[in-house]
Amino acid sequence: MENQNNVTEFVFVGLWENKKIELLFFFLFLLCYLAILMGNSIIFLTITCSHLIRQPMYYFLCHLSLMDLCYTSAVVPRLIRDLAAARKNISYNNCMTQLFTAHLLAGVEICILVSMAFDRYVAIVKPLHYVAIMSRQRCNMLVVLAWAVGFWHSVALLLMVLSLPFCGPNQIDHYLCDVKPLLKLVCKDIHVVSILVIANSGMVVVVIFLVLVVSYILILCNLRTRSSAGRRKALSTCSSHIMVVALFFVPCIYTHVLRAGAENRDKGVSVFYTVIAPMLNPLICTLRNMEMNVAMRKISPKIAMEHCSLQEKKSNLLTCPSEFSETSSSYN
């Protein structure tokens, strides 16, 4: 069959077909998105404005929060808009842009999670060599490598989808442009393409997840020789990271390992790594982290002071509250 593309736009089916339920979840997802923006912005600002940015663990956490902000902003605003819209349409070009952007940022986030696991492994298993191994140059290299891998992954998927013919219908049984729901609309045999997609996304995610599981098994085995205090501190950090990894990888594996024609609940499960995980990550990473909590208390008055100073330059009518000056001086 000659490759042709008669589709200029796609129409999302969405999560639900009941309008009342969609309006209810419009407000729910709006609150979730605001929580994502607030939580990850706080972590990003706290780390970048404090001494924590010099530590590899928090350096990677800062990038993880940035990826959560960018990834959800590429998906969730349109989801919220479509929940309130009468017609959930998206142009072909915008659909391809969302596909590329979402997979790029998701690929980078996966690599950042791997870097965080590597950092914890070195810190616990090889503590004497930690400073030499996890130098700032190597951390920067891991972040650049994450962007390179994410770019390669998303370009490969995009080129694959662009080469496929879409002759109609144009209804995507999802709330975002992803490869598997798009493959169901292709007007040619997709058996080979489905295998390539599973190899590019599904199997890679499974292999990375297994590597992470093995690394944490090795960490737990190594912790048996440590003191009880050191064991508790290491377990506190590792347990938080394990929860973040599980929230992202488990639903990701489910949605990308099954072939495109299989009956599954992809769009419902994908909510976990597009909305739920980015919303819970800030809470998981800071709830039991004393360094982050102390840094947040130090940063908040400094930010308030900087804001007041900026406003004073604009207008002499505004003055900084005295309690901020006293509090900030007590921290310095």
Side-chain angles (χ1 to χ4, degrees):
M1 180 184 291
E2 182 183 353
N3 277 12
Q4 56 181 346
N5 194 349
N6 299 329
V7 174
T8 58
E9 71 170 11
F10 296 100
V11 179
F12 293 123
V13 174
L15 283 169
W16 302 275
E17 297 183 19
N18 188 313
K19 198 63 185 176
K20 291 182 179 179
I21 294 178
E22 285 190 334
L23 287 175
L24 174 64
F25 277 89
F26 167 83
F27 293 104
L28 178 62
F29 282 127
L30 180 60
L31 291 175
C32 289
Y33 184 55
L34 293 175
I36 290 168
L37 292 179
M38 184 177 69
N40 287 286
S41 296
I42 289 173
I43 288 181
F44 181 80
L45 290 173
T46 299
I47 295 175
T48 53
C49 297
S50 69
H51 67 282
L52 295 179
I53 191 66
R54 295 193 292 269
Q55 299 182 36
M57 181 177 74
Y58 295 105
Y59 177 76
F60 291 128
L61 180 57
C62 178
H63 283 278
L64 180 67
S65 296
L66 181 61
M67 288 304 101
D68 280 337
L69 283 170
C70 296
Y71 180 70
T72 52
S73 295
V75 175
V76 179
R78 177 168 284 277
L79 167 61
I80 295 171
R81 172 249 186 197
D82 288 341
L83 286 171
R87 191 168 185 266
K88 306 172 179 63
N89 61 309
I90 183 173
S91 68
Y92 177 86
N93 290 335
N94 287 341
C95 183
M96 296 301 109
T97 301
Q98 187 186 57
L99 172 71
F100 173 80
T101 306
H103 277 271
L104 168 64
L105 297 172
V108 175
E109 181 159 345
I110 286 173
C111 294
I112 294 295
L113 289 171
V114 173
S115 300
M116 292 175 72
F118 177 67
D119 171 71
R120 291 300 86 202
Y121 175 83
V122 175
I124 294 171
V125 179
K126 299 180 180 293
L128 298 178
H129 302 89
Y130 179 76
V131 175
I133 296 175
M134 298 305 298
S135 62
R136 178 45 58 95
Q137 183 180 4
R138 179 154 292 158
C139 291
N140 290 335
M141 183 190 69
L142 289 172
V143 171
V144 171
L145 182 62
W147 279 97
V149 171
F151 182 77
W152 170 82
H153 162 74
S154 55
V155 165
L157 283 181
L158 180 64
L159 293 177
M160 188 185 303
V161 174
L162 288 175
S163 66
L164 299 173
F166 296 94
C167 314
N170 66 340
Q171 277 198 335
I172 302 177
D173 188 17
H174 215 289
Y175 60 88
L176 61 89
C177 285
D178 205 355
V179 180
K180 285 178 63 179
L182 282 172
L183 288 181
K184 295 179 182 180
L185 306 180
V186 175
C187 49
K188 78 169 191 179
D189 181 47
I190 61 167
H191 181 71
V192 176
V193 179
S194 294
I195 294 174
L196 291 175
V197 169
I198 292 173
N200 182 289
S201 300
M203 298 313 297
V204 171
V205 173
V206 170
V207 170
I208 292 175
F209 180 70
L210 291 176
V211 169
L212 291 176
V213 169
V214 170
S215 70
Y216 278 105
I217 290 175
L218 293 175
I219 289 173
L220 292 174
C221 291
N222 186 270
L223 286 177
R224 291 184 301 178
T225 60
R226 300 299 177 87
S227 64
S228 58
R231 193 183 303 124
R232 281 196 301 270
K233 184 177 180 181
L235 283 175
S236 176
T237 304
C238 292
S239 61
S240 299
H241 189 255
I242 290 170
M243 283 189 281
V244 170
V245 167
L247 275 173
F248 188 86
F249 275 89
V250 172
C252 224
I253 290 171
Y254 176 86
T255 57
H256 289 95
V257 167
L258 299 177
R259 62 185 180 85
E263 290 295 329
N264 50 60
R265 299 182 177 87
D266 279 1
K267 59 184 180 182
V269 174
S270 62
V271 172
F272 281 92
Y273 60 80
T274 56
V275 181
I276 305 300
M279 183 178 64
L280 294 180
N281 284 352
L283 184 65
I284 294 171
C285 295
T286 60
L287 190 62
R288 298 168 60 188
N289 192 316
M290 291 302 297
E291 284 185 300
M292 278 294 297
N293 292 330
V294 171
M296 285 180 185
R297 288 195 292 269
K298 288 183 178 181
I299 290 299
S300 54
K302 290 182 180 179
I303 292 175
M305 284 291 293
E306 290 173 2
H307 174 74
C308 289
S309 299
L310 182 63
Q311 293 300 319
E312 281 183 341
K313 291 178 182 179
K314 294 180 179 179
S315 172
N316 292 327
L317 297 176
L318 292 176
T319 57
C320 291
S322 60
E323 63 265 27
F324 286 136
S325 302
E326 294 172 1
T327 307
S328 61
S329 63
S330 67
Y331 283 121
N332 294 327

